[in-house]
Structure formats: C-alpha cells, structure tokens
Amino acid sequence: MVYHNHTGKFLYILIVITSICYAPVSWGGGTGKFLVLPNINGSYRSDPDEVDYEFAADLFATFELNQFRFLGEYFLSNEEQELERFQLGLSFNSNLLWLGRFHNPIGYWNTQFHHGSFFETSISRPAIVEFEDDGGILPLHQSGLLMEGAFNHGEQTLGYSMSIAAGPDFNNKLEPWDVLDPGSGTHDISTTLNLYLDPILSTSVLAGLFINYTEIPSDAIDVHDIQQINFGIYGNWESESWRLIASSFYVYNEVNRLTRSEDDTFFSAYLQAEYNHSDNWIFYGRVEGTVGEGNDAYLALFPEYVEDKILGGIRYDFVSNNALKLEISGNHTDEDDFAHVMLQWSAVF
Amino acid sequence: MKKKTQARILFLFIFLFQLNINSPATTPRRLLLVCDTNSNLSYLSPIETRKLFLNVPVVKSGVRLKPLRNISDPLISDIFLQKVIFMSKRSYERKLLSRIFRYGGKNIPVYSKIHKLKAELHLTPEAVTYMWSDQVENDNNLKSLGVLWEDSN
C-alpha cells in the first residue's frame, strides 16, 4: 500500500477511534482503551549487503458498551500503512462473535502478538507466520465472521476460535481484503478452527491444534488459483524463568495453473526459548526449519521465504514499558544464505 | 552521640515496643475476597478468582462479574500477586494489556482509596474485590466470598 494515498483516510480513522475512546460519557457509560505501540528498527543483511531501517507505530483502540465491543488496529510505518484489524463484536457468556477483519486464529503466534512489537520478546516473527506484506506464505488476515470463547471443565479451560471469512488473493504476494479499499482484489473462502487447552490455574502450559482451509484466487500470469490446507499443533510453556513457544505446520497446496495443476506438501516448525534473567533482561533463541520444500510449486512463488533459521537475541526492558532488543540470525532461503542483525526499540503507551 | 539524642532513641524504642505489645496480635490478619451484600454471590473458587482478575469473563447465575483491583496497601498488592495471580507486577500488568490487545474490551479498574473502592462495590452488585478482614468486618454492606490469604504468625 502506498503511504501517501491513504494519509487522509488514516487521519480520519485515527480521529474517529480516538473520539470513540475518549467520549465514554456520551456513549452511556461505555469505556475504551487507546494504545500506541511505536518501534524503530535498524537492520543489516549480509547478502545482499544492505542496511535498512523502519519507523513504525501500531495504533490500537477498543471500546466496550454493554455486550458490544469494537476493536481497531492501524499499523503505519515509513514503508506501509494498513488497517490491520477492524472488528465489531458481541459478547455473550464467555464467547465473542466478531464481524470484520481480524487475525486468522492459525497457530499461536498470530493471535498472541498481532502487530505490537513490544509484546513479542523477539524482533522478528517465525517465517511461517510472517505477515503477508513481509512475504508471508500463509493467510494471516481474514475478513468475515470470527467466533471465540471457552468452556470450563474443572481446572481446565477448553478454548476455541473458528472463523469463516474471505482470505487473501495472490499477486506476487498474498494480499488480504483491504477495509479501506473494499473493492480491490478478488477474495475467496478461508476458514479456520483452533482448539486449545488452557490450565488457567497454573498458566504453565497451553497446548492446541488448528486447521485452516483457504482458496486463494490469483492475479499472477500463469497461476489461476491456489487451494491450501494447513494444520498443526502448538504449545506455550512458562515457568518463573523460562518460556518455550513451539508450533508445527503441515501445509498442502494445490496450485492450479492455466494448463495444469501441481500439488505438494511441506512441513515447517519453530521452537523459541526465552530465559528471564531478571525483570529487565531476557535472553532468547529460536530455531526454524522447513522439510519438503524442494521443488514445491507453492513455495516457488515466494523466493524470499526463509526455510531455515537460527537466531539469538537479548531484550532489555526499561522505564516500565520500553524495550531494547538485539537479534542476530542465520537464514537460508531457496537461493541464498545470509546473516541478519537487527536492533529495535519498542514501547507501549 | 549526645545524651539528648540517646534519650530520644531510647524513648522511640520504648514507644514502639509498647505499640507492639498493645496490638491485637490474637486476631490473625486475613485477606478476603469480598462483594456487596446485595450480590447473589456466595463463593468463588480459586480458579474463578484467578480468571476474574486475569480479566477472563466469569459468569455466575447469568451475571458477568466485574473485578476491581485494590492497591490501597502495598502489602495487599504483593499478597494478591503472590497468592492469586502467581506473577510479578510487571508480568501481570503486561498480561492484562496483552489480553486487551487481543480481545479488546476494558482493563480492570484500579482503586488506591479504600472508600472509593467500597463505594464502587455498593454501586455495582456484580463487582468483586479483595481487602483486609478488619475492613470487611466493620462494614455491614460487605460480605466475604472466601479467604485469599491468612497470616500464619
């Protein structure tokens, strides 16, 4: 998305959501919250030899009145700006029914951290859950209906998320439906089911599984459409000093070209370990790997997809809600190997 | 040290000692989970209490409960974090913010003045908070839903 084309729309939305959050009296006692999550990134990539930077801010607003809820997330940077989430919700008992654009409840990472860099311990996301704008290969944004909630059974909570929505189309990258430009692109069905066990009394382990089916229309010259099924498992384990996040994805794609169809599968997984040395310092590392990627017709559409990665990093939290992070990684794509050094300041206000 | 200063310190020691032996040490201090007497609530399990104060919806008899945080006493906050939430203050605050970032909605209201907390409890029958047992026993409008912590000394 080009930055200048939507500046006016962005300002309009900013004013609307800020007004909503700061006018609770006129809304009959409802209350809201407005968060700003800025971040500045500097990075060095060894091959090609380049230095890059990014100034970004994630603006988040939510408002609640009785059973009704609104949630909006707008991400803007020197490279792009986009209305990432725009949801109208209805809550009943322990359930929420949403209408709008939301994050696909696929796996763990995508619905835990969203676009807020501060909430992520690391700077980078695992490649398998990279956002579409950054070369991601899975549909991480959907637009339609999302239902989520939980059932209690003793000390366990069985949580669920299920969506039926419009997914992305493909035009040299995946492009989700744009709330601010609703007529753009061609979109087809994307549906996800995510189930997880959350032992809320101890919060030490959360484990779940998910399945997603997406039909991806294509604007690329020789690809008509793509049918994709992905499923997997995930877990989050926390102790006083340690946190482990792991997930695996089994991805089946059928790439329908104008003259023939190709179907293939690949498997991807990541494991991130975090060690809280103190309240301020966190040391972390992550390994990511992909199996079966050779000659995969779908992955061939994403030459920058990082198939294997190993990284280490340090995070320093200061003045309550600020964080400095340094991350070094070794990356392998289909055609390249490169090192990546990243430095980030992030915060939440 | 001058004699005058020594005398002051001695007086202070005697004063503090007197305070200690005159304090009602026979009644152990307890932290109670409380609500207004007009509430239909009679009990909340530890898991329900923890969920409630993690801002996870807790519905009892068709009514969604409203948690209120009590930070009027640093000791209350510490005990609450250790015995109910099992997290550091920073982790807890981040968990609450992270939950709002995911699901939207509103954060748990925080009260630093006990009289304002009590006023909100009286206004909102579905509200639940925690406070010292002596603060509950002296107030006919409050009832206990359980003991969160008891001083064993």
Side-chain angles (χ1 to χ4, degrees):
Chain A
M1 188 179 296
V2 179
Y3 181 84
H4 300 288
N5 287 354
H6 294 291
T7 304
K9 286 179 181 174
F10 156 67
L11 288 173
Y12 174 74
I13 285 173
L14 183 62
I15 290 165
V16 168
I17 57 182
T18 307
S19 304
I20 286 170
C21 291
Y22 287 90
V25 175
S26 62
W27 281 77
T31 51
K33 185 96 180 159
F34 183 57
L35 299 175
V36 180
L37 296 101
N39 68 273
I40 300 173
N41 292 1
S43 67
Y44 167 74
R45 179 174 164 155
S46 65
D47 185 16
D49 189 355
E50 65 180 20
V51 174
D52 198 10
Y53 68 91
E54 182 189 51
F55 299 95
D58 193 39
L59 308 177
F60 174 83
T62 179
F63 175 77
E64 187 175 45
L65 178 63
N66 301 326
Q67 286 181 280
F68 299 97
R69 197 172 288 195
F70 162 78
L71 184 162
E73 185 183 11
Y74 199 98
F75 182 79
L76 70 157
S77 74
N78 54 322
E79 293 172 356
E80 62 150 329
Q81 66 174 44
E82 191 160 0
L83 188 53
E84 303 289 356
R85 287 189 285 167
F86 191 82
Q87 302 174 223
L88 299 170
L90 180 69
S91 67
F92 50 98
N93 294 334
S94 300
N95 305 284
L96 268 167
L97 176 64
W98 293 104
L99 172 69
R101 175 172 148 145
F102 44 83
H103 283 133
N104 187 355
I106 187 174
Y108 180 77
W109 200 288
N110 198 40
T111 51
Q112 286 295 314
F113 305 116
H114 306 283
H115 295 261
S117 295
F118 178 80
F119 290 116
E120 288 175 332
T121 299
S122 59
I123 300 175
S124 64
R125 296 165 66 94
I128 191 69
V129 286
E130 191 60 89
F131 288 123
E132 297 95 331
D133 278 334
D134 299 319
I137 63 170
L138 297 179
L140 296 192
H141 294 86
Q142 295 177 315
S143 302
L145 288 171
L146 169 68
M147 179 101 171
E148 51 191 355
F151 300 100
N152 297 315
H153 181 71
E155 290 187 0
Q156 297 283 343
T157 295
L158 173 65
Y160 73 91
S161 296
M162 53 185 178
S163 64
I164 182 155
D169 66 353
F170 178 76
N171 188 2
N172 294 321
K173 66 175 183 176
L174 295 178
E175 292 183 343
W177 181 68
D178 186 352
V179 180
L180 300 179
D181 192 6
S184 64
T186 311
H187 303 276
D188 215 324
I189 190 168
S190 180
T191 182
T192 302
L193 176 65
N194 187 328
L195 301 170
Y196 60 90
L197 273 175
D198 184 4
I200 202 150
L201 194 59
S202 62
T203 67
S204 59
V205 183
L206 181 146
L209 51 90
F210 62 91
I211 184 165
N212 166 260
Y213 172 75
T214 301
E215 293 183 6
I216 307 170
S218 171
D219 292 332
I221 295 170
D222 64 336
V223 178
H224 182 265
D225 67 84
I226 301 151
Q227 292 183 341
Q228 183 179 84
I229 300 171
N230 64 76
F231 58 91
I233 56 174
Y234 61 86
N236 174 60
W237 175 82
E238 291 177 53
S239 73
E240 198 168 314
S241 302
W242 288 91
R243 182 181 190 184
L244 297 176
I245 305 171
S247 189
S248 65
F249 293 75
Y250 183 83
V251 185
Y252 166 84
N253 290 290
E254 184 178 302
V255 179
N256 297 310
R257 299 184 186 278
L258 298 179
T259 53
R260 67 188 194 285
S261 291
E262 298 170 87
D263 62 298
D264 216 335
T265 59
F266 66 89
F267 174 83
S268 177
Y270 67 83
L271 168 67
Q272 178 161 308
E274 303 172 10
Y275 174 68
N276 283 273
H277 180 260
S278 65
D279 246 13
N280 301 97
W281 291 95
I282 301 176
F283 299 91
Y284 63 91
R286 188 170 71 231
V287 287
E288 303 173 32
T290 307
V291 178
E293 73 278 18
N295 300 319
D296 186 288
Y298 181 70
L299 284 181
L301 301 171
F302 302 88
E304 284 293 305
Y305 170 66
V306 175
E307 296 165 350
D308 304 295
K309 183 175 198 166
I310 183 163
L311 72 79
I314 307 172
R315 173 183 172 126
Y316 175 65
D317 282 88
F318 62 103
V319 197
S320 158
N321 283 329
N322 287 259
L324 275 178
K325 307 174 201 172
L326 174 67
E327 194 172 294
I328 301 169
S329 62
N331 302 265
H332 169 73
T333 66
D334 189 38
E335 299 172 342
D336 200 5
D337 289 295
F338 62 93
H340 207 185
V341 181
M342 301 173 84
L343 183 64
Q344 183 189 71
W345 165 76
S346 63
V348 57
F349 302 113
Chain B
M1 198 180 291
K2 290 179 181 176
K3 279 187 178 177
K4 201 172 179 181
T5 312
Q6 285 176 329
R8 279 179 181 164
I9 291 171
L10 186 63
F11 176 77
L12 189 63
F13 267 110
I14 293 167
F15 178 70
L16 290 174
F17 180 71
Q18 281 294 112
L19 271 186
N20 188 43
I21 59 171
N22 290 336
S23 64
T26 48
T27 52
R29 209 165 197 201
R30 293 180 301 162
L31 186 65
L32 303 180
L33 192 67
V34 296
C35 66
D36 189 74
T37 46
N38 289 326
S39 168
N40 293 326
L41 269 178
S42 57
Y43 173 73
L44 269 187
S45 69
I47 189 168
E48 288 170 325
T49 306
R50 182 175 159 77
K51 279 176 69 173
L52 184 66
F53 286 96
L54 286 171
N55 215 3
V56 178
V58 175
V59 178
K60 299 283 276 187
S61 307
V63 178
R64 184 176 166 180
L65 303 183
K66 180 183 177 184
L68 307 176
R69 285 174 65 190
N70 178 359
I71 59 162
S72 62
D73 179 345
L75 186 59
I76 284 185
S77 298
D78 289 347
I79 292 170
F80 171 72
L81 290 170
Q82 284 175 23
K83 304 296 177 186
V84 178
I85 300 298
F86 313 130
M87 287 180 200
S88 68
K89 185 172 184 292
R90 172 174 283 190
S91 299
Y92 181 49
E93 299 290 353
R94 197 165 293 176
K95 195 93 174 174
L96 292 177
L97 212 51
S98 179
R99 184 172 174 83
I100 287 177
F101 195 53
R102 178 174 179 185
Y103 294 107
K106 54 197 169 194
N107 213 341
I108 300 176
V110 178
Y111 290 85
S112 57
K113 304 285 184 199
I114 202 76
H115 68 277
K116 287 186 177 174
L117 178 62
K118 285 184 173 181
E120 180 61 26
L121 278 175
H122 301 329
L123 284 172
T124 320
E126 66 271 23
V128 176
T129 190
Y130 43 92
M131 57 182 71
W132 295 124
S133 49
D134 53 344
Q135 293 170 326
V136 180
E137 285 153 8
N138 295 331
D139 192 326
N140 293 329
N141 292 318
L142 297 177
K143 67 177 176 184
S144 168
L145 298 171
V147 179
L148 296 176
W149 174 82
E150 187 165 355
D151 188 1
S152 55
N153 293 325

